[in-house]
Amino acid sequence: MTSALVRDGLAQLAARYGVADLQVTSVDVAPVETLDVTVRNPARPDQLDRYTFDGEWLSDASPVMVSALEDLDARAFRLGDVPALSRVEALVDDALAHTGFDGGEVAGISVNRTERLWPTVMVESPRSRALVVFDAEGTVIGVQQL
């Protein structure tokens, strides 16, 4: 999992839409160097499209069903709103250090807006699992054992 994957994937998406800055509703980074992003279509802000990026290839758009009750303005964010996404390697290192699991591995990084933009990192070991919560800047704010 690398910062370059996030940066390059979002740059390709911005180029595809012809905009300098995208609004997204979710970013997920998997350990096999896969980025999944749900983008708010700039031409149709009431629509969401899902993409996968593997470091080289950007998938075609997959439409995402949006409820009439969803507030996309409240859910959407920009990459600049989450500076921690430019430091993926540090998130991984900090998550592993804060769990201290023997044989711990990062299973994924997710960013979604709930009440706040808090990137989360799932850490798993053969005997334990935890969710490490960061603030948007990348500072650990909590560890939840699962």
Side-chain angles (χ1 to χ4, degrees), residues 5 47 63 67 69 77 83 87 93 99 104 111 120 124 132:
L5 177 74
Q47 294 181 355
S67 163
L69 301 177
F77 60 93
R87 302 178 36 250
D93 291 344
T99 57
V111 182
T120 58
E124 297 178 342
V132 182

Side-chain angles (χ1 to χ4, degrees), residues 18-145:
V19 297
D21 199 15
L22 284 173
Q23 285 191 349
V24 301
T25 59
S26 70
V27 176
D28 296 295
V29 185
V32 292
E33 286 302 295
T34 302
L35 176 70
D36 290 312
V37 183
T38 302
V39 177
R40 190 173 185 192
N41 186 329
R44 299 285 313 265
D46 60 329
Q47 294 181 355
L48 298 175
D49 298 316
R50 184 171 291 121
Y51 292 89
T52 299
F53 178 68
D54 68 2
E56 294 180 23
W57 180 77
L58 180 64
S59 72
D60 290 332
S62 296
V64 176
M65 188 170 297
V66 177
S67 163
L69 301 177
E70 278 188 78
D71 182 357
L72 294 182
D73 288 333
R75 285 188 47 209
F77 60 93
R78 300 179 190 284
L79 182 60
D81 296 335
V82 191
L85 282 174
S86 66
R87 302 178 36 250
V88 169
E89 296 85 353
L91 294 178
V92 168
D93 291 344
D94 289 349
L96 291 171
H98 277 80
T99 57
F101 294 161
D102 287 335
E105 295 182 1
V106 170
I109 298 172
S110 294
V111 182
N112 301 290
R113 183 185 301 273
T114 51
E115 57 273 356
R116 295 189 184 194
L117 275 174
W118 288 342
T120 58
V121 178
M122 177 67 72
V123 179
E124 297 178 342
S125 76
R127 297 184 182 275
S128 302
R129 184 179 346 174
L131 192 64
V132 182
V133 181
F134 293 82
D135 67 14
E137 300 294 324
T139 301
V140 174
I141 58 173
V143 178
Q144 297 174 335
Q145 298 291 332

